[in-house]
Amino acid sequence: MATMDVFQYDVPAESDFGYAQAIRSGELIHVSGQLSFDEAGEFRHADDFAAQLARTYVNMDRVLDHYGATRNQVVSQTVYVVNLRRNAATAAKGNLGYFGDHRPASTVLGVTELTMPGQVVEISFVVDTRLPA
C-alpha cells in the first residue's frame, strides 16, 4: 500500500488557497509550482526574472532536501514564464545551470500573468525517487 507524505512551508498561501507544496505518493513526489518566496513566505524580486528564477531553484532544492531527493531524480517539469520571448534565453541558461547534464522532460509555457503581483516565473515538477540520486 502506498503511503502519502505532504510537505508544507506553512506560509499563508497554502491555507488561503488550500494546497500542499508537495505530496509524496509511493516513489513519486508531485511538487506544486515553486516561486520566488523567502523562508518567511514573503514574495521577493518582483519583475526581476533572473532573481526570481534563482530563488525558485533554491525553493525547489528545499523540497528535494525534505524528501532526501536530488535534481537528478526530477523526471519532468513545467515552467511558466511571463514575457517568454524576452525571458526565454535566461530561462534556458538557468535550467542548464540548475540541472547540469540531467535532462528531465520539460514544458515551457508563456503566460500573461501568475498569482503574485510582479511574479514572472513558476516551476512545478515531478520526482521519481527510484532513480539514482
Side-chain angles (χ1 to χ4, degrees):
M1 176 180 215
T3 60
M4 189 166 52
D5 175 13
V6 176
F7 174 68
Q8 301 282 104
Y9 290 125
D10 295 321
V11 297
E14 294 165 348
S15 59
D16 291 349
F17 191 77
Y19 74 99
Q21 294 293 333
I23 295 178
R24 180 180 186 150
S25 179
E27 302 303 323
L28 295 179
I29 303 164
H30 299 270
V31 184
S32 294
Q34 297 299 292
L35 54 129
S36 181
F37 58 87
D38 63 18
E39 288 80 6
E42 298 293 322
F43 178 72
R44 298 288 183 224
H45 311 298
D47 299 311
D48 183 336
F49 186 84
Q52 282 188 38
L53 186 62
R55 183 65 210 190
T56 298
Y57 288 137
V58 168
N59 289 333
M60 290 171 65
D61 283 342
R62 288 173 65 194
V63 175
L64 291 169
D65 289 346
H66 171 80
Y67 290 105
T70 71
R71 299 170 186 184
N72 291 333
Q73 294 170 305
V74 174
V75 294
S76 67
Q77 67 174 341
T78 303
V79 183
Y80 303 90
V81 178
V82 175
N83 296 316
L84 180 58
R85 292 190 198 285
R86 180 178 5 159
N87 294 314
T90 304
K93 183 178 178 183
N95 189 69
L96 289 168
Y98 183 75
F99 286 109
D101 292 333
H102 180 60
R103 299 290 184 263
S106 296
T107 300
V108 179
L109 300 169
V111 298
T112 56
E113 65 182 358
L114 292 163
T115 304
M116 305 299 294
Q119 182 185 353
V120 292
V121 66
E122 186 166 322
I123 304 173
S124 62
F125 58 104
V126 177
V127 178
D128 188 337
T129 61
R130 294 171 293 197
L131 296 176

